[in-house]
Amino acid sequence: MAALPSVRPLWVPSPTRIAQANVTALGRRIAQSRGVALDDYAQLHRFSLEHMGEFWDHVWAFGRVIGERGSGPALRENGAMEQARWFDGARLNFAENLLRHGGDALAATFWNETGPQLRLSRTELRAAVARAARALQRLGVQPGDRVAAYLPNMPEAMVGMLGCASIGAVWSVCATDLGVDAAVDRFAQIAPVVLLLSDGACYGGRVHDARAKGLQIAAALPSVRQAVAIDYVARGPGGPDAWQGLPRWSELLARESDRTFDFERFPFAHPLYVLFTSGTTGRPKCIVHGAGGTLMKHLADHLLQFDVRPGDTIFRVTGSGWMLWNSLMSGLACDAAIVLYDGSPLQSAAIVLDIAERERVTLLGLSPQVIEHWMRHALAPAASHDLSALRCIAAGGAPLSADAAAWVHARVKADVHLASPSGGTDIVSFFVGGHPTAPTYAGQIQSAALGMAVDVYDDAGRPVRGQAGELVCTRPFPSMPLGFWGDADGSRMRAAYFETWPGVWRHGDWAEITPQGGFVIHGRSDATLKANGVRIGTAEIYAQLAGFDDILECAAVDQKHAGGLRIALFVVLAPGAVLDEALQARVRHAIAQGASPRHVPQVIYAVPELPRTSNGKCSEAALRAAIHGEPVRNEGALSNPQALAILRRFHLPTPETAGDTHA
């Protein structure tokens, strides 16, 4: 196990910031109503677990949920964790809560790599959603029907989702970088009745035409009664109709009235979203999330963990197919504006910072990869950009190294709350993350989220501290999936999360609880390395290489060879860099010193790129399969399947070929 980062705080919130925080206000409200002392986050978190139903009732009130609360208890545990029921008798409409106010206040801004494209006020967004809801009804969409979308992160995705939610339909989206087979593999399972198709997306300085793929997807889905085309990258007249006569979304909306829409309220557990797992380790799971649970957890995340306030602006660098997109949408329920961005966050060195400055972003969500990109380009954002509005940076999607965290405070903004959340598609939210009322420590996630009974277990199912183990959750939470689509008896969901320890959610993260009560995520537990007889989290290796200008990204996996298993490190080099003996020695020394000698890779390979899922994460499972000559399941789920061809050259079929050749 690697040595823990320094226990010296990286950032300490001011007394004023603590006093003004939403989480402080909620704690004060609960303390007054109960006549108890809730003087800090730890006490409030303990209350949220010991009085779980009461806590979520307070979140309902604090978040000003619009709906009929009903008379039932907030939580019925019903024995097994997966049998828990939330807010029986409550009724609400998800879209009504996100569109609670009209007026001229900004609701959303849309950017792509060429700059700002569109601004929508609250009134304009409400009108667009009303037209979308009526258009979907005119297409025959009923409550519970599925509407699928093959779209980038664009206004039409936001409006389409809210239109679906307005009428009780179920929204499911895949980004346009997903291959045809992978998209069909997902959508076919849920039998959508309407399919929205974008003509393309912008990424990496190029326009990517998606019309042919969209038509192939539509043809492969017999359940689709109507496919609808969205002109985005090729707006305007020109040439034959590549959409082959499909109706245009803009034309359908133009026919409808934008008068006030009467929102029908549905049961708390009415299905809202179907999200998909990456599909790189098996058939994608179709995870059904409910409207009420999603709304409640997202309100708690935004208001309490990220301290979002009315008038704030939220910018999450995300594609439409990642759960962070769903989280971004819910920022509207907090009376905040949101920023949509279609493009690469690395297209220019400072595109994300440019948007944050221009839009006066208060909460910036991004991956550690973007921060490392800034580091490699020696940016000095505090000097080059006006980030005075920025209060919180949420660095998620992968572990954030201690060096990167320290760099943020030194070069981006000294007084910024660096909240590194971790959760997933499975819960459409976060298990652990930040809160603005306690110090942060480099290399650590601050705490478990409120209402989340998070723990770390060893292989025997015993809680452990100061050592890595399986991240688990031992009590229900509102954003637990309603189930998997088509899993009538719940057996697939139980096998996915509750098979290891009945009644305990095993998430699949390899994690550690620190003496400060924080969390370190060492990577996915199914990607831990076992080559040296001890389970090692890959994040511990990656953290040591974050400051290497020669290395853009890396991935470590166990590799079979004549002597058994060894750690193989694959690196993508910066332009002009060479994987010579000197660089290899520096890499091994850094890993041995910063992690341990057991973490040091036996071989290091240079490759032009690593396989990535559609949400930008490196797929270690696909990498491992490719180098062992095994089939990569759902190869179409990768955004760059061409990366596998070179990786397959590293297959060592016989002991005689098990050399240490470097590509």
Side-chain angles (χ1 to χ4, degrees), residues 544-545 548 584-596 600:
Q544 313 313 317
L545 305 183
F548 276 60
Q584 292 186 58
R586 286 172 49 217
V587 166
R588 290 189 168 98
H589 177 76
I591 294 171
Q593 293 296 309
S596 82
V600 175

Side-chain angles (χ1 to χ4, degrees), residues 454-492:
V454 184
D455 211 331
V456 172
Y457 279 8
D458 65 13
D459 290 343
R462 297 171 301 209
V464 292
R465 300 292 181 268
Q467 69 182 67
E470 293 279 356
L471 183 77
V472 300
C473 192
T474 61
R475 294 284 305 282
F477 48 93
S479 63
M480 282 177 59
L482 301 180
F484 294 166
W485 195 269
D487 182 27
D489 63 358
S491 58
R492 291 182 65 207

Side-chain angles (χ1 to χ4, degrees), residues 153-346:
N153 183 6
M154 63 191 304
E156 287 84 351
M158 171 182 63
V159 170
M161 180 278 289
L162 289 168
C164 273
S166 298
I167 63 175
V170 183
W171 175 261
S172 191
V173 61
C174 289
T176 52
D177 59 357
L178 200 67
V180 172
D181 290 344
V184 171
D185 200 20
R186 287 157 172 74
F187 289 152
Q189 296 184 64
I190 63 173
V193 298
V194 168
L195 176 65
L196 305 184
L197 299 168
S198 171
D199 63 356
C202 300
Y203 199 90
R206 294 175 52 205
V207 170
H208 299 267
D209 193 318
R211 288 173 293 188
K213 292 198 297 181
L215 290 170
Q216 291 177 56
I217 292 168
L221 298 173
S223 64
V224 171
R225 298 197 294 264
Q226 183 64 66
V228 182
I230 295 173
D231 295 323
Y232 162 40
V233 297
R235 285 193 171 106
D241 181 9
W243 281 123
Q244 300 179 9
L246 292 184
R248 300 306 204 271
W249 180 244
S250 58
E251 295 171 355
L252 295 181
L253 266 58
R255 299 171 190 164
E256 303 298 334
S257 167
D258 62 2
R259 69 182 186 277
T260 301
F261 187 83
D262 295 325
F263 295 101
E264 180 181 353
R265 292 176 182 170
F266 299 94
F268 187 87
H270 188 78
L272 170 70
Y273 293 133
V274 174
L275 275 66
F276 306 102
T277 54
S278 65
T280 54
T281 57
R283 192 183 189 199
K285 295 189 288 287
C286 304
I287 305 173
V288 185
H289 288 290
T294 300
L295 177 66
M296 293 292 291
K297 186 62 168 74
H298 285 182
L299 283 171
D301 287 343
H302 283 98
L303 296 174
L304 306 177
Q305 313 298 155
F306 299 127
D307 203 34
V308 172
R309 306 167 191 173
D312 278 356
T313 299
I314 304 170
F315 175 27
R316 289 192 180 278
V317 183
T318 178
S320 58
W322 196 5
M323 54 78 53
L324 288 177
W325 183 87
N326 306 83
S327 177
L328 173 65
M329 296 299 107
S330 295
L332 293 166
C334 305
D335 297 330
I338 62 175
V339 179
L340 314 176
Y341 175 62
D342 172 39
S344 168
L346 312 181

Side-chain angles (χ1 to χ4, degrees), residues 50 57 126 170 174 198 219 267 344 363 420 457 529 552-553 594 645:
E50 294 175 351
D57 255 330
R126 285 170 62 95
V170 183
C174 289
S198 171
S344 168
L363 168 59
S420 301
Y457 279 8
L529 306 172
L552 299 181
E553 54 184 329

